[in-house]
Amino acid sequence: MGKKICFFMLAMACIPAILRADDDDRKYLAGAAPEVDGKVVFTTDFNLPGVDQNSIYEYVYNWLDNRMKANGNGSRIAYADKEKGQIVAFGEEFLVFSSTALSLDRSLMSYNLVVLCKPGKCEMQLERIRYSYGEDRYTAEEQIADKVALNKKKTSIYRGYKKFRVNTIDYVDELFDGARIAFGLKEEKSASSLMAPQVQQANATLVTQAASATNTQPVQVTETPVAAPVVAEATTPAPVSVPAETAVSTQSPVAAATASAPQTASDSPLSLQGYKRLSPDKIPGNIIKMLNEDWMLITAGTDQKFNMMTASWGGLGTLYGKPMAICFINPTRYTYQLMETNNTYTLTFYTEAYREALNYCGSHSGRDGDKVKGSGLTPVTTPSGSKAFSEAWLIIECRKIVGQSLSHDALFDEKIKSDWVGKQLHKMYIGEIVNVWAK
């Protein structure tokens, strides 16, 4: 009798956990990955009363251009026609399913984002979703569509498909919310988002800085599913018609159309778009390979003055009970002075696609010219004021804890000691890891 009671109590204890799991999954169930003619297509629109088509086009172009640069990989605006108000972007970004110090489970997702700008309205459609997962290639229809990912009753997600479906829906939700914020509109949930995940507040966009700089009251946005226009596919890009202003405007088109509205406080956003914040013990990848084969950039300084340099020496670990990153800078390098005079710095890592940019950074000095312009990298500022670049797939921000110059007497390896006779040795910097962002 006692065993039956214990079993009953154990079963009853499990019920709340099961219910919670089902409740958490409800927003990813039937209809969360909408289909049009058998294809998975996510659509949304933004009503912008009083705003002309050209203003909407220029602002969304700037937002999307920054977004694609932040994605890195092969992301780009592939087609643009200002007169028609059409923009097509090809996006590539990693969906990270799980990440530990020893393993990284992720898939590269590609998609087309089709935008149509009209007077007082902007329509967006995200389609042609593809996944590259190791050696395997999938389409959204094969991996996240209701008919393959959900059980017959549409009450649960099959385990093998869940990570793709959940992460894709999360990504689309964050992308559309980034557009909403870029327009200077108040963030709120639409009726269609009852089945969608909550927006990741930490992933605020670069252009949110422009929206928060306005002295106007945000206009309420109405977001409803729409049928987006049929335009050229991003896989076969046409010549791009680039607006004259390639930098993000300091005022959104909505704010410009409502300049008489009273001033309201605006949330102060992060300046990193497309990144997820990780704890230091979740840093993905093999640090030896990342340094020795892929290299990294050490960037020191602030908005007023900063510089970056390539480096392949360093490591990760713990010291004084804190997560630490180690790097080395030769005093002859231009970055050294900035490292000495600033408290924080960043270590950033890149895919092979940016090898040429890293080569440029390693062969040119900031003393002689604009390395940012020459490398083609896009600077971003962390919430702490450190500098990094949106092309990086991993950003590690550090606060200096130890700085120690190496000496010849400290070298035990005789060959190394002989190789460095008469040469300036490096200074070792050990920094507490205060922030980690990964795509």
Side-chain angles (χ1 to χ4, degrees):
M1 181 67 179
K3 291 183 178 180
K4 291 182 178 179
I5 293 175
C6 290
F7 177 79
F8 175 77
M9 293 178 66
L10 179 61
M12 292 300 293
C14 292
I15 290 176
I18 295 172
L19 291 177
R20 285 195 297 272
D22 290 342
D23 185 63
D24 289 342
D25 285 347
R26 186 170 56 190
K27 56 195 175 185
Y28 303 107
L29 296 181
E35 294 184 39
V36 177
D37 297 329
K39 301 294 184 180
V40 175
V41 180
F42 294 90
T43 59
T44 188
D45 70 0
F46 304 97
N47 290 331
L48 308 166
V51 187
D52 65 272
Q53 178 175 309
N54 285 342
S55 295
I56 295 175
Y57 174 91
E58 290 181 3
Y59 204 79
V60 74
Y61 185 99
N62 288 327
W63 165 75
L64 191 53
D65 186 44
N66 278 285
R67 175 77 194 206
M68 293 298 103
K69 289 178 179 177
N71 283 359
N73 301 308
S75 300
R76 65 192 183 278
I77 291 179
Y79 172 84
D81 188 323
K82 185 174 182 179
E83 184 177 350
K84 295 180 180 179
Q86 296 177 348
I87 306 172
V88 181
F90 175 71
E92 277 191 333
E93 187 162 355
F94 283 105
L95 297 180
V96 179
F97 305 132
S98 65
S99 173
T100 68
L102 299 178
S103 66
L104 174 62
D105 184 18
R106 66 181 183 178
S107 173
L108 183 66
M109 180 180 73
S110 63
Y111 58 86
N112 287 4
L113 181 63
V114 181
V115 181
L116 180 62
C117 303
K118 301 178 180 179
K121 193 172 186 178
C122 177
E123 301 172 353
M124 292 186 181
Q125 176 173 294
L126 193 145
E127 60 183 11
R128 296 181 59 81
I129 301 171
R130 300 285 189 274
Y131 305 99
S132 297
Y133 187 54
E135 299 298 323
D136 298 321
R137 302 292 183 268
Y138 306 107
T139 65
E141 293 71 37
E142 296 170 326
Q143 204 69 14
I144 69 170
D146 287 4
K147 61 186 176 183
V148 297
L150 302 182
N151 65 353
K152 291 184 178 179
K153 294 182 179 180
K154 311 299 183 186
T155 56
S156 64
I157 309 172
Y158 288 130
R159 184 175 181 180
Y161 299 92
K162 184 172 183 178
K163 62 185 180 182
F164 285 91
R165 185 174 171 100
V166 168
N167 280 271
T168 300
I169 294 170
D170 281 348
Y171 179 86
V172 175
D173 190 63
E174 184 272 331
L175 178 68
F176 286 165
D177 186 65
R180 182 191 303 112
I181 296 174
F183 281 121
L185 300 170
K186 183 178 179 180
E187 179 184 355
E188 63 176 50
K189 290 293 175 182
S190 65
S192 63
S193 67
L194 294 177
M195 295 181 294
Q198 292 188 349
V199 176
Q200 299 174 14
Q201 185 64 32
N203 288 346
T205 63
L206 292 169
V207 292
T208 312
Q209 292 178 319
S212 64
T214 64
N215 294 325
T216 61
Q217 183 176 8
V219 173
Q220 184 170 338
V221 60
T222 301
E223 185 178 356
T224 54
V226 297
V230 178
V231 297
E233 294 180 354
T235 51
T236 56
V240 176
S241 174
V242 182
E245 294 181 7
T246 56
V248 176
S249 169
T250 58
Q251 190 176 37
S252 74
V254 174
T258 59
S260 59
Q263 181 175 354
T264 59
S266 178
D267 293 335
S268 177
L270 301 182
S271 62
L272 296 172
Q273 169 191 341
Y275 288 88
K276 291 185 179 181
R277 192 171 183 175
L278 305 178
S279 60
D281 63 336
K282 302 298 183 184
I283 293 176
N286 182 323
I287 189 61
I288 296 178
K289 178 184 182 298
M290 289 159 60
L291 288 169
N292 189 50
E293 297 180 20
D294 303 335
W295 309 342
M296 68 177 174
L297 288 181
I298 303 172
T299 306
T302 62
D303 281 330
Q304 288 71 38
K305 187 178 183 181
F306 67 94
N307 193 64
M308 66 287 202
M309 58 170 281
T310 54
S312 60
W313 293 7
L316 303 175
T318 58
L319 184 66
Y320 304 126
K322 300 178 182 294
M324 295 286 175
I326 305 170
C327 66
F328 299 83
I329 301 178
N330 196 288
T332 60
R333 301 295 294 267
Y334 181 58
T335 306
Y336 176 82
Q337 296 300 327
L338 296 169
M339 191 75 162
E340 287 289 289
T341 55
N342 290 278
N343 193 40
T344 62
Y345 59 96
T346 63
L347 310 177
T348 52
F349 298 83
Y350 304 80
T351 64
E352 186 63 28
Y354 296 98
R355 176 67 65 179
E356 185 176 343
L358 295 183
N359 281 330
Y360 182 91
C361 293
S363 59
H364 293 75
S365 173
R367 295 188 184 95
D368 305 325
D370 188 344
K371 285 180 69 173
V372 173
K373 182 178 180 180
S375 66
L377 297 175
T378 309
V380 293
T381 305
T382 71
S384 303
S386 302
K387 300 299 295 185
F389 300 94
S390 65
E391 288 79 6
W393 71 267
L394 177 67
I395 299 173
I396 301 176
E397 184 177 21
C398 302
R399 178 175 64 88
K400 288 190 301 186
I401 295 294
V402 176
Q404 178 63 53
S405 297
L406 303 182
S407 67
H408 287 86
D409 293 338
L411 298 176
F412 289 102
D413 189 291
E414 292 300 326
K415 183 180 186 308
I416 295 176
K417 183 180 291 189
S418 63
D419 289 341
W420 284 87
V421 170
K423 299 179 182 178
Q424 176 73 60
L425 291 178
H426 292 64
K427 184 170 184 176
M428 176 180 65
Y429 293 94
I430 304 176
E432 177 189 1
I433 300 174
V434 294
N435 284 303
V436 179
W437 293 277
K439 290 185 177 179

